[in-house]
Amino acid sequence: RLYGTYLVSASGDGSVAYTDLRRVLARGESSGSKLTLKTKQTAEGDDEVLCLDMVRGGERIIAGLSTGSLQLYTVGDIEAGATDRIPGHPDSVDAIVSLEGLEGGSGDSLVVTGCGDGMLRVVSLFPHQILGVLGEHGTASMPVEVLTMSNRGRYGKPGH
């Protein structure tokens, strides 16, 4: 997934990686030379990473795991591994969207998660706490696998 000038990705081995594309964008396509991208990556993890988003103004990466936990990584020190772990979801965290940039409020430490149990939850990252259930997908047996937010932060849309 592309976040500004960062490309953030997860691998099947439980690792998270990011690539800063500023050098690529600065060189442009006309140089004709081969580009070497510098990617930083965590070590393999025990849990499958199902979704990613960036929070805290692009300083942190948040990952949703198959075990129902969230993990936070610091972008500049991603190779050190997760800095925080937030347990508490009863099922896998399949989708996540940051509430940063909401009009009329500060959402820089709030995310909405979509889970395997069909519920949408609001989670505070600082301090770590699941604040409550925002809603559900409609049928509890259907997981929430996709969450989107308008570019103005005005509405969200769950999907399967």
Side-chain angles (χ1 to χ4, degrees):
R1 187 163 179 191
L2 191 60
Y3 300 94
T5 60
Y6 292 108
L7 177 65
V8 181
S9 61
S11 177
D13 65 5
S15 64
V16 174
Y18 87 97
T19 304
D20 187 345
L21 300 175
R22 284 181 286 191
R23 280 201 247 168
V24 176
L25 298 173
R27 290 180 81 178
E29 295 180 27
S30 61
S31 68
S33 63
K34 187 176 180 179
L35 296 175
T36 303
L37 299 176
K38 290 192 175 185
T39 299
K40 295 187 177 185
Q41 184 171 352
T42 64
E44 291 181 12
D46 295 332
D47 303 324
E48 184 179 6
V49 178
L50 301 177
C51 55
L52 297 166
D53 204 348
M54 292 193 83
V55 294
R56 302 294 289 233
E59 295 175 7
R60 299 279 185 105
I61 297 169
I62 186 159
L65 306 178
S66 59
T67 57
S69 293
L70 299 172
Q71 284 190 165
L72 284 162
Y73 301 89
T74 302
V75 168
D77 196 23
I78 194 168
E79 295 153 318
T83 56
D84 293 297
R85 187 174 182 99
I86 306 169
H89 290 83
D91 208 332
S92 61
V93 179
D94 298 329
I96 192 165
V97 65
S98 170
L99 296 182
E100 280 187 19
L102 284 179
E103 291 181 16
S106 173
D108 68 340
S109 65
L110 296 176
V111 295
V112 174
T113 58
C115 302
D117 64 358
M119 298 291 181
L120 297 169
R121 291 177 175 81
V122 178
V123 180
S124 171
L125 303 179
F126 306 101
H128 303 331
Q129 181 179 8
I130 296 177
L131 299 177
V133 174
L134 181 63
E136 60 183 281
H137 189 259
T139 305
S141 62
M142 296 291 287
V144 177
E145 295 177 333
V146 178
L147 281 173
T148 59
M149 182 71 71
S150 78
N151 60 355
R152 292 182 155 183
R154 291 191 178 174
Y155 61 88
K157 178 183 172 189
H160 171 72

mmCIF file of all heavy atoms in Angstrom, residues 64-100:
data_model
loop_
_atom_site.group_PDB
_atom_site.id
_atom_site.type_symbol
_atom_site.label_atom_id
_atom_site.label_comp_id
_atom_site.label_asym_id
_atom_site.label_seq_id
_atom_site.Cartn_x
_atom_site.Cartn_y
_atom_site.Cartn_z
ATOM 1 N N GLY A 64 -2.426 -5.297 11.624
ATOM 2 C CA GLY A 64 -3.446 -6.181 12.184
ATOM 3 C C GLY A 64 -3.028 -7.622 11.971
ATOM 4 O O GLY A 64 -2.584 -8.002 10.877
ATOM 5 N N LEU A 65 -3.147 -8.439 13.003
ATOM 6 C CA LEU A 65 -2.638 -9.812 12.960
ATOM 7 C C LEU A 65 -3.756 -10.849 12.977
ATOM 8 O O LEU A 65 -4.867 -10.590 13.442
ATOM 9 C CB LEU A 65 -1.718 -10.056 14.154
ATOM 10 C CG LEU A 65 -0.559 -9.072 14.337
ATOM 11 C CD1 LEU A 65 0.231 -9.420 15.589
ATOM 12 C CD2 LEU A 65 0.332 -9.046 13.115
ATOM 13 N N SER A 66 -3.415 -12.031 12.525
ATOM 14 C CA SER A 66 -4.370 -13.139 12.485
ATOM 15 C C SER A 66 -4.803 -13.583 13.874
ATOM 16 O O SER A 66 -5.859 -14.185 14.036
ATOM 17 C CB SER A 66 -3.767 -14.321 11.724
ATOM 18 O OG SER A 66 -2.572 -14.750 12.354
ATOM 19 N N THR A 67 -4.016 -13.264 14.892
ATOM 20 C CA THR A 67 -4.331 -13.653 16.259
ATOM 21 C C THR A 67 -5.260 -12.672 16.972
ATOM 22 O O THR A 67 -5.625 -12.893 18.124
ATOM 23 C CB THR A 67 -3.045 -13.777 17.091
ATOM 24 O OG1 THR A 67 -2.356 -12.527 17.042
ATOM 25 C CG2 THR A 67 -2.167 -14.892 16.580
ATOM 26 N N GLY A 68 -5.603 -11.558 16.305
ATOM 27 C CA GLY A 68 -6.480 -10.568 16.927
ATOM 28 C C GLY A 68 -5.749 -9.444 17.630
ATOM 29 O O GLY A 68 -6.363 -8.632 18.303
ATOM 30 N N SER A 69 -4.456 -9.375 17.480
ATOM 31 C CA SER A 69 -3.677 -8.300 18.084
ATOM 32 C C SER A 69 -3.302 -7.262 17.033
ATOM 33 O O SER A 69 -3.347 -7.525 15.827
ATOM 34 C CB SER A 69 -2.378 -8.846 18.693
ATOM 35 O OG SER A 69 -2.654 -9.661 19.793
ATOM 36 N N LEU A 70 -2.913 -6.091 17.510
ATOM 37 C CA LEU A 70 -2.329 -5.042 16.682
ATOM 38 C C LEU A 70 -0.881 -4.875 17.102
ATOM 39 O O LEU A 70 -0.560 -5.020 18.285
ATOM 40 C CB LEU A 70 -3.066 -3.714 16.877
ATOM 41 C CG LEU A 70 -4.543 -3.683 16.524
ATOM 42 C CD1 LEU A 70 -5.162 -2.361 16.962
ATOM 43 C CD2 LEU A 70 -4.739 -3.888 15.035
ATOM 44 N N GLN A 71 -0.005 -4.596 16.150
ATOM 45 C CA GLN A 71 1.391 -4.313 16.468
ATOM 46 C C GLN A 71 1.774 -2.981 15.868
ATOM 47 O O GLN A 71 1.374 -2.655 14.751
ATOM 48 C CB GLN A 71 2.320 -5.409 15.921
ATOM 49 C CG GLN A 71 2.280 -6.645 16.728
ATOM 50 C CD GLN A 71 3.355 -7.659 16.361
ATOM 51 O OE1 GLN A 71 3.564 -8.558 17.134
ATOM 52 N NE2 GLN A 71 4.019 -7.563 15.250
ATOM 53 N N LEU A 72 2.574 -2.216 16.607
ATOM 54 C CA LEU A 72 3.076 -0.927 16.154
ATOM 55 C C LEU A 72 4.569 -1.016 15.879
ATOM 56 O O LEU A 72 5.313 -1.652 16.635
ATOM 57 C CB LEU A 72 2.825 0.148 17.210
ATOM 58 C CG LEU A 72 1.399 0.650 17.306
ATOM 59 C CD1 LEU A 72 1.167 1.356 18.621
ATOM 60 C CD2 LEU A 72 1.090 1.567 16.143
ATOM 61 N N TYR A 73 4.988 -0.368 14.792
ATOM 62 C CA TYR A 73 6.387 -0.307 14.411
ATOM 63 C C TYR A 73 6.762 1.154 14.207
ATOM 64 O O TYR A 73 5.952 1.940 13.726
ATOM 65 C CB TYR A 73 6.632 -1.049 13.092
ATOM 66 C CG TYR A 73 6.237 -2.504 13.124
ATOM 67 C CD1 TYR A 73 4.947 -2.894 12.794
ATOM 68 C CD2 TYR A 73 7.154 -3.478 13.478
ATOM 69 C CE1 TYR A 73 4.584 -4.230 12.821
ATOM 70 C CE2 TYR A 73 6.797 -4.814 13.500
ATOM 71 C CZ TYR A 73 5.501 -5.179 13.173
ATOM 72 O OH TYR A 73 5.149 -6.495 13.207
ATOM 73 N N THR A 74 7.991 1.520 14.547
ATOM 74 C CA THR A 74 8.503 2.859 14.280
ATOM 75 C C THR A 74 9.169 2.840 12.922
ATOM 76 O O THR A 74 10.049 2.005 12.671
ATOM 77 C CB THR A 74 9.513 3.285 15.367
ATOM 78 O OG1 THR A 74 8.855 3.232 16.636
ATOM 79 C CG2 THR A 74 10.039 4.681 15.117
ATOM 80 N N VAL A 75 8.750 3.746 12.032
ATOM 81 C CA VAL A 75 9.235 3.729 10.652
ATOM 82 C C VAL A 75 10.759 3.810 10.588
ATOM 83 O O VAL A 75 11.400 3.047 9.889
ATOM 84 C CB VAL A 75 8.585 4.866 9.830
ATOM 85 C CG1 VAL A 75 9.279 5.042 8.490
ATOM 86 C CG2 VAL A 75 7.115 4.579 9.627
ATOM 87 N N GLY A 76 11.378 4.720 11.311
ATOM 88 C CA GLY A 76 12.824 4.883 11.248
ATOM 89 C C GLY A 76 13.615 3.743 11.858
ATOM 90 O O GLY A 76 14.822 3.644 11.652
ATOM 91 N N ASP A 77 12.961 2.876 12.605
ATOM 92 C CA ASP A 77 13.655 1.788 13.297
ATOM 93 C C ASP A 77 12.870 0.483 13.150
ATOM 94 O O ASP A 77 12.773 -0.307 14.085
ATOM 95 C CB ASP A 77 13.815 2.160 14.778
ATOM 96 C CG ASP A 77 14.837 1.290 15.486
ATOM 97 O OD1 ASP A 77 15.707 0.717 14.812
ATOM 98 O OD2 ASP A 77 14.746 1.186 16.719
ATOM 99 N N ILE A 78 12.330 0.245 11.974
ATOM 100 C CA ILE A 78 11.459 -0.909 11.746
ATOM 101 C C ILE A 78 12.208 -2.229 11.933
ATOM 102 O O ILE A 78 11.634 -3.223 12.354
ATOM 103 C CB ILE A 78 10.788 -0.834 10.359
ATOM 104 C CG1 ILE A 78 9.635 -1.845 10.284
ATOM 105 C CG2 ILE A 78 11.785 -1.024 9.245
ATOM 106 C CD1 ILE A 78 8.739 -1.658 9.088
ATOM 107 N N GLU A 79 13.492 -2.225 11.649
ATOM 108 C CA GLU A 79 14.272 -3.464 11.758
ATOM 109 C C GLU A 79 14.363 -3.963 13.201
ATOM 110 O O GLU A 79 14.630 -5.135 13.434
ATOM 111 C CB GLU A 79 15.665 -3.253 11.168
ATOM 112 C CG GLU A 79 15.582 -2.983 9.678
ATOM 113 C CD GLU A 79 16.732 -2.150 9.161
ATOM 114 O OE1 GLU A 79 17.124 -1.183 9.827
ATOM 115 O OE2 GLU A 79 17.221 -2.476 8.074
ATOM 116 N N ALA A 80 14.109 -3.089 14.166
ATOM 117 C CA ALA A 80 14.139 -3.481 15.577
ATOM 118 C C ALA A 80 12.908 -4.299 15.963
ATOM 119 O O ALA A 80 12.867 -4.886 17.030
ATOM 120 C CB ALA A 80 14.251 -2.253 16.464
ATOM 121 N N GLY A 81 11.906 -4.331 15.103
ATOM 122 C CA GLY A 81 10.697 -5.098 15.400
ATOM 123 C C GLY A 81 9.617 -4.237 16.012
ATOM 124 O O GLY A 81 9.725 -3.015 16.090
ATOM 125 N N ALA A 82 8.560 -4.878 16.445
ATOM 126 C CA ALA A 82 7.403 -4.176 16.995
ATOM 127 C C ALA A 82 7.766 -3.472 18.294
ATOM 128 O O ALA A 82 8.458 -4.020 19.148
ATOM 129 C CB ALA A 82 6.258 -5.153 17.235
ATOM 130 N N THR A 83 7.280 -2.247 18.424
ATOM 131 C CA THR A 83 7.524 -1.485 19.651
ATOM 132 C C THR A 83 6.394 -1.670 20.660
ATOM 133 O O THR A 83 6.607 -1.533 21.854
ATOM 134 C CB THR A 83 7.669 0.015 19.346
ATOM 135 O OG1 THR A 83 6.489 0.468 18.660
ATOM 136 C CG2 THR A 83 8.886 0.278 18.485
ATOM 137 N N ASP A 84 5.198 -1.951 20.154
ATOM 138 C CA ASP A 84 4.040 -2.140 21.030
ATOM 139 C C ASP A 84 3.130 -3.212 20.451
ATOM 140 O O ASP A 84 3.066 -3.394 19.232
ATOM 141 C CB ASP A 84 3.225 -0.846 21.148
ATOM 142 C CG ASP A 84 3.970 0.247 21.878
ATOM 143 O OD1 ASP A 84 4.275 0.049 23.061
ATOM 144 O OD2 ASP A 84 4.231 1.293 21.258
ATOM 145 N N ARG A 85 2.416 -3.884 21.338
ATOM 146 C CA ARG A 85 1.429 -4.885 20.935
ATOM 147 C C ARG A 85 0.135 -4.590 21.688
ATOM 148 O O ARG A 85 0.162 -4.387 22.898
ATOM 149 C CB ARG A 85 1.939 -6.286 21.251
ATOM 150 C CG ARG A 85 1.061 -7.395 20.709
ATOM 151 C CD ARG A 85 1.743 -8.747 20.957
ATOM 152 N NE ARG A 85 0.989 -9.829 20.421
ATOM 153 C CZ ARG A 85 1.227 -10.434 19.257
ATOM 154 N NH1 ARG A 85 2.215 -10.030 18.514
ATOM 155 N NH2 ARG A 85 0.477 -11.421 18.845
ATOM 156 N N ILE A 86 -0.980 -4.580 20.958
ATOM 157 C CA ILE A 86 -2.275 -4.289 21.557
ATOM 158 C C ILE A 86 -3.169 -5.512 21.360
ATOM 159 O O ILE A 86 -3.695 -5.732 20.273
ATOM 160 C CB ILE A 86 -2.926 -3.048 20.915
ATOM 161 C CG1 ILE A 86 -1.970 -1.852 20.967
ATOM 162 C CG2 ILE A 86 -4.249 -2.725 21.601
ATOM 163 C CD1 ILE A 86 -2.409 -0.666 20.150
ATOM 164 N N PRO A 87 -3.333 -6.332 22.395
ATOM 165 C CA PRO A 87 -4.216 -7.503 22.277
ATOM 166 C C PRO A 87 -5.665 -7.104 22.523
ATOM 167 O O PRO A 87 -5.952 -5.961 22.889
ATOM 168 C CB PRO A 87 -3.704 -8.418 23.392
ATOM 169 C CG PRO A 87 -3.182 -7.462 24.425
ATOM 170 C CD PRO A 87 -2.656 -6.275 23.682
ATOM 171 N N GLY A 88 -6.578 -8.037 22.327
ATOM 172 C CA GLY A 88 -7.944 -7.788 22.752
ATOM 173 C C GLY A 88 -9.033 -8.088 21.748
ATOM 174 O O GLY A 88 -10.188 -8.201 22.137
ATOM 175 N N HIS A 89 -8.723 -8.187 20.475
ATOM 176 C CA HIS A 89 -9.756 -8.547 19.512
ATOM 177 C C HIS A 89 -10.033 -10.045 19.624
ATOM 178 O O HIS A 89 -9.101 -10.837 19.725
ATOM 179 C CB HIS A 89 -9.315 -8.210 18.087
ATOM 180 C CG HIS A 89 -9.254 -6.738 17.805
ATOM 181 N ND1 HIS A 89 -8.167 -5.967 18.153
ATOM 182 C CD2 HIS A 89 -10.138 -5.919 17.209
ATOM 183 C CE1 HIS A 89 -8.394 -4.727 17.777
ATOM 184 N NE2 HIS A 89 -9.584 -4.665 17.203
ATOM 185 N N PRO A 90 -11.303 -10.451 19.586
ATOM 186 C CA PRO A 90 -11.623 -11.869 19.750
ATOM 187 C C PRO A 90 -11.346 -12.714 18.513
ATOM 188 O O PRO A 90 -11.365 -13.936 18.584
ATOM 189 C CB PRO A 90 -13.123 -11.859 20.061
ATOM 190 C CG PRO A 90 -13.626 -10.618 19.413
ATOM 191 C CD PRO A 90 -12.508 -9.625 19.515
ATOM 192 N N ASP A 91 -11.069 -12.068 17.378
ATOM 193 C CA ASP A 91 -10.833 -12.778 16.124
ATOM 194 C C ASP A 91 -9.760 -12.008 15.356
ATOM 195 O O ASP A 91 -9.253 -10.996 15.826
ATOM 196 C CB ASP A 91 -12.145 -12.852 15.328
ATOM 197 C CG ASP A 91 -12.224 -14.059 14.411
ATOM 198 O OD1 ASP A 91 -11.156 -14.529 13.964
ATOM 199 O OD2 ASP A 91 -13.333 -14.532 14.136
ATOM 200 N N SER A 92 -9.433 -12.463 14.177
ATOM 201 C CA SER A 92 -8.400 -11.823 13.372
ATOM 202 C C SER A 92 -8.757 -10.368 13.048
ATOM 203 O O SER A 92 -9.926 -10.014 12.914
ATOM 204 C CB SER A 92 -8.205 -12.599 12.071
ATOM 205 O OG SER A 92 -9.400 -12.605 11.323
ATOM 206 N N VAL A 93 -7.727 -9.525 12.937
ATOM 207 C CA VAL A 93 -7.905 -8.139 12.510
ATOM 208 C C VAL A 93 -7.601 -8.117 11.014
ATOM 209 O O VAL A 93 -6.455 -8.169 10.603
ATOM 210 C CB VAL A 93 -6.992 -7.170 13.282
ATOM 211 C CG1 VAL A 93 -7.193 -5.740 12.796
ATOM 212 C CG2 VAL A 93 -7.248 -7.264 14.773
ATOM 213 N N ASP A 94 -8.669 -8.070 10.205
ATOM 214 C CA ASP A 94 -8.542 -8.208 8.753
ATOM 215 C C ASP A 94 -8.419 -6.882 8.019
ATOM 216 O O ASP A 94 -7.995 -6.858 6.864
ATOM 217 C CB ASP A 94 -9.759 -8.958 8.202
ATOM 218 C CG ASP A 94 -9.866 -10.362 8.773
ATOM 219 O OD1 ASP A 94 -8.827 -10.964 9.069
ATOM 220 O OD2 ASP A 94 -11.004 -10.849 8.934
ATOM 221 N N ALA A 95 -8.819 -5.785 8.637
ATOM 222 C CA ALA A 95 -8.774 -4.473 7.995
ATOM 223 C C ALA A 95 -8.552 -3.415 9.061
ATOM 224 O O ALA A 95 -8.972 -3.571 10.205
ATOM 225 C CB ALA A 95 -10.074 -4.202 7.245
ATOM 226 N N ILE A 96 -7.894 -2.339 8.657
ATOM 227 C CA ILE A 96 -7.635 -1.254 9.602
ATOM 228 C C ILE A 96 -7.575 0.053 8.834
ATOM 229 O O ILE A 96 -7.093 0.099 7.706
ATOM 230 C CB ILE A 96 -6.326 -1.511 10.388
ATOM 231 C CG1 ILE A 96 -6.196 -0.556 11.550
ATOM 232 C CG2 ILE A 96 -5.117 -1.440 9.485
ATOM 233 C CD1 ILE A 96 -5.145 -0.971 12.546
ATOM 234 N N VAL A 97 -8.101 1.108 9.445
ATOM 235 C CA VAL A 97 -8.017 2.440 8.852
ATOM 236 C C VAL A 97 -7.801 3.453 9.972
ATOM 237 O O VAL A 97 -8.450 3.393 11.016
ATOM 238 C CB VAL A 97 -9.264 2.775 7.993
ATOM 239 C CG1 VAL A 97 -10.519 2.848 8.835
ATOM 240 C CG2 VAL A 97 -9.063 4.034 7.198
ATOM 241 N N SER A 98 -6.849 4.346 9.742
ATOM 242 C CA SER A 98 -6.549 5.392 10.707
ATOM 243 C C SER A 98 -7.591 6.496 10.606
ATOM 244 O O SER A 98 -8.099 6.788 9.532
ATOM 245 C CB SER A 98 -5.158 5.963 10.400
ATOM 246 O OG SER A 98 -4.929 7.118 11.164
ATOM 247 N N LEU A 99 -7.884 7.121 11.727
ATOM 248 C CA LEU A 99 -8.814 8.245 11.750
ATOM 249 C C LEU A 99 -8.077 9.576 11.773
ATOM 250 O O LEU A 99 -8.663 10.606 12.099
ATOM 251 C CB LEU A 99 -9.760 8.135 12.947
ATOM 252 C CG LEU A 99 -10.687 6.931 12.940
ATOM 253 C CD1 LEU A 99 -11.601 6.957 14.152
ATOM 254 C CD2 LEU A 99 -11.501 6.853 11.659
ATOM 255 N N GLU A 100 -6.801 9.588 11.411
ATOM 256 C CA GLU A 100 -6.039 10.836 11.334
ATOM 257 C C GLU A 100 -6.693 11.775 10.345
ATOM 258 O O GLU A 100 -7.211 11.358 9.319
ATOM 259 C CB GLU A 100 -4.610 10.566 10.871
ATOM 260 C CG GLU A 100 -3.714 10.078 11.952
ATOM 261 C CD GLU A 100 -2.262 9.988 11.508
ATOM 262 O OE1 GLU A 100 -1.879 10.624 10.511
ATOM 263 O OE2 GLU A 100 -1.516 9.271 12.172
#
